[in-house]
Amino acid sequence: MTAFNHLTLTDFRSYERAELALDGRPVFLVGPNGAGKTNLLEAISLFTAGRGLRGAAIAELGRRQPGETQGRAWAVAAVIVEAGEETRVGTGVETPGAARRTVRLEGEAVPPGRLADLQRQVWLTPAQDRLFLEGAGDRRRFLDRLVFAGEPSHAAHVSAYEKSQRERMRLLTDGPADPAWLSALEARLAEAGALMAEARARTLAALQAEIDGRGDRPFPQAKLTLTGDWERMAGEGVEFAEIEARLARSLASARDRDAAAGRALTGPHRGDLLVVHAEKDRPAAECSTGEQKALILNLVLAQAARLSRAESAPNPILLLDEVAAHLDRRRRAALFDEIEALELQAFLTGTDELLFEDLKGRAQGVHVDGSSLAILDTE
């Protein structure tokens, strides 16, 4: 089992200094709105590559006193335990307002991607409550987050694709539209895009199999579809080289059209994740708010379940921000039972301790108030 057993926050968000000793069990954080619960989850989420669960700029994470225009230098440190072995890891900035953070593993600076060797994370936040009602971009990012938890290299492929896409559009719109340079960029785009499409298709198929195999749970069953042409080809078993070649040809033939539109009109950045409530045969967007929340949670739990069985990767950590309040008692109990059955460390937040009544005796409770942390007696 992979778990955090100690956290230290210094000048991070609302925390001047806070420490939390953990025992590997699930953790529920309770306290009033604005107390700092989500800030603590965000700190934990920074032990992955990227900007964490809020997607905030690094310069925004430092604590600010009234009147200060710039956040302070900040740090988050943790001890992560895997199979009884402890690893010390930290991240932060040494200069106030710095745009990039440093990651240290046992005191040595390492690339953020190394964090995936220690633990993976899957999270659900209130910002995702409207996932099925917002634009396709939000759903792609949600899916890519699930893909990344299982295949950390996916983040690098997405980054390479987006960088090459920006460079290509600058040439098309601002010039000079040099054909040789455009062909080189489109080759990079095609390679990264084909890798993205394959990873998304693999993850979607695995999630669907996981959901289909767990029909006795009180969460609505989902039918998942990727609408992108490139993901569809990958899902149908088209060879990587063929997807890459087709995408390169499609980009080359679309130069004039993309230049006129001011954006790329073909590629894996155009796909969408469609989710249907299987029992009702109704798109998720037409379901109730509670059903939508349960469908999203089902996807997150399905990914956590399959990753928990992976022999080649550490167990995932679950971050569930204000999820319990949106579930009825039966589904809350099922969620807690599943977390315990999967032997995962999960961090859940809520304003009412009664929401976590069914977790008492098998989880740690932490009261958060004014960014101070106090362990609750839950036995």
Side-chain angles (χ1 to χ4, degrees):
M1 177 180 178
T2 305
F4 288 86
N5 76 351
H6 198 275
L7 291 166
T8 304
L9 282 66
T10 304
D11 281 328
F12 180 83
R13 290 288 195 184
S14 55
Y15 292 90
E16 179 179 6
R17 173 79 179 182
E19 293 192 51
L20 186 59
L22 303 167
D23 60 15
R25 292 184 295 168
V27 180
F28 61 88
L29 308 169
V30 295
N33 291 326
K37 303 184 298 297
T38 303
N39 290 345
L40 184 57
L41 292 194
E42 183 179 30
I44 296 169
S45 75
L46 291 172
F47 291 107
T48 65
R51 292 185 170 187
L53 59 79
R54 279 185 170 130
I58 300 303
E60 297 176 5
L61 302 179
R63 189 171 68 94
R64 294 184 186 183
Q65 290 283 69
E68 291 183 338
T69 59
Q70 182 172 264
R72 300 183 178 191
W74 59 270
V76 181
V79 178
I80 298 174
V81 179
E82 166 66 25
E85 294 189 8
E86 294 186 348
T87 302
R88 287 165 175 77
V89 62
T91 187
V93 299
E94 298 178 2
T95 304
R100 302 184 68 176
R101 61 186 173 110
T102 299
V103 174
R104 295 190 180 275
L105 186 62
E106 295 291 355
E108 297 292 328
V110 298
R114 284 283 305 279
L115 293 166
D117 297 337
L118 296 176
Q119 41 80 60
R120 312 284 174 87
Q121 294 184 20
V122 183
W123 58 64
L124 187 56
T125 71
Q128 294 163 332
D129 286 352
R130 293 180 56 82
L131 186 70
F132 302 123
L133 304 177
E134 302 292 350
D138 292 323
R139 289 184 289 278
R140 282 194 302 272
R141 285 186 287 273
F142 172 77
L143 175 61
D144 282 338
R145 185 71 226 175
L146 295 181
V147 176
F148 171 66
E151 302 185 33
S153 61
H154 183 66
H157 300 152
V158 172
S159 178
Y161 181 89
E162 292 176 346
K163 180 181 178 181
S164 296
Q165 185 182 64
R166 288 193 298 270
E167 292 179 4
R168 175 178 178 268
M169 289 309 305
R170 274 199 297 269
L171 288 181
L172 290 176
T173 56
D174 300 335
D178 179 77
W181 184 230
L182 282 169
S183 294
L185 287 173
E186 287 160 359
R188 294 181 202 169
L189 273 167
E191 180 184 22
L195 288 168
M196 289 165 57
E198 286 198 333
R200 287 172 177 170
R202 275 194 303 271
T203 298
L204 195 81
L207 288 175
Q208 188 67 72
E210 185 72 35
I211 291 170
D212 291 346
R214 288 142 41 99
D216 59 340
R217 301 157 68 253
F219 296 100
Q221 297 294 92
K223 294 299 180 184
L224 312 175
T225 306
L226 283 170
T227 64
D229 292 338
W230 315 104
E231 291 87 347
R232 177 183 52 77
M233 282 190 278
E236 292 173 352
V238 177
E239 293 290 334
F240 171 83
E242 179 63 19
I243 298 174
E244 182 182 20
R246 288 191 195 181
L247 181 52
R249 290 195 298 270
S250 180
L251 289 166
S253 65
R255 290 174 187 173
D256 291 342
R257 184 183 62 175
D258 290 351
R263 64 186 188 279
L265 298 175
T266 187
H269 64 286
R270 302 281 294 175
D272 197 358
L273 169 66
L274 301 184
V275 179
V276 171
H277 189 304
E279 183 180 358
K280 294 186 174 182
D281 193 25
R282 178 176 296 174
E286 298 178 8
C287 295
S288 70
T289 301
E291 287 172 332
Q292 290 182 26
K293 188 77 172 186
L295 283 164
I296 299 171
L297 181 58
N298 203 9
L299 292 177
V300 169
L301 290 174
Q303 181 67 321
R306 62 180 292 262
L307 293 180
S308 70
R309 297 192 301 272
E311 297 181 359
S312 60
N315 279 10
I317 306 294
L318 278 176
L319 306 181
L320 302 176
D321 193 14
E322 298 292 346
V323 168
H326 293 271
L327 302 175
D328 57 36
R329 178 72 181 268
R330 182 173 67 100
R331 284 178 175 160
R332 278 202 306 273
L335 169 62
F336 301 155
D337 288 345
E338 183 149 1
I339 290 171
E340 185 176 36
L342 292 173
E343 297 183 337
L344 300 180
Q345 188 179 45
F347 293 82
L348 305 97
T349 68
T351 57
D352 190 344
E353 191 174 340
L354 290 176
L355 291 171
F356 305 103
E357 192 69 28
D358 292 329
L359 261 183
K360 291 188 174 180
R362 46 184 179 156
Q364 280 186 285
V366 179
H367 186 258
V368 184
D369 189 5
S371 297
S372 65
L373 308 175
I375 299 292
L376 297 170
D377 181 6
T378 60
E379 302 302 327

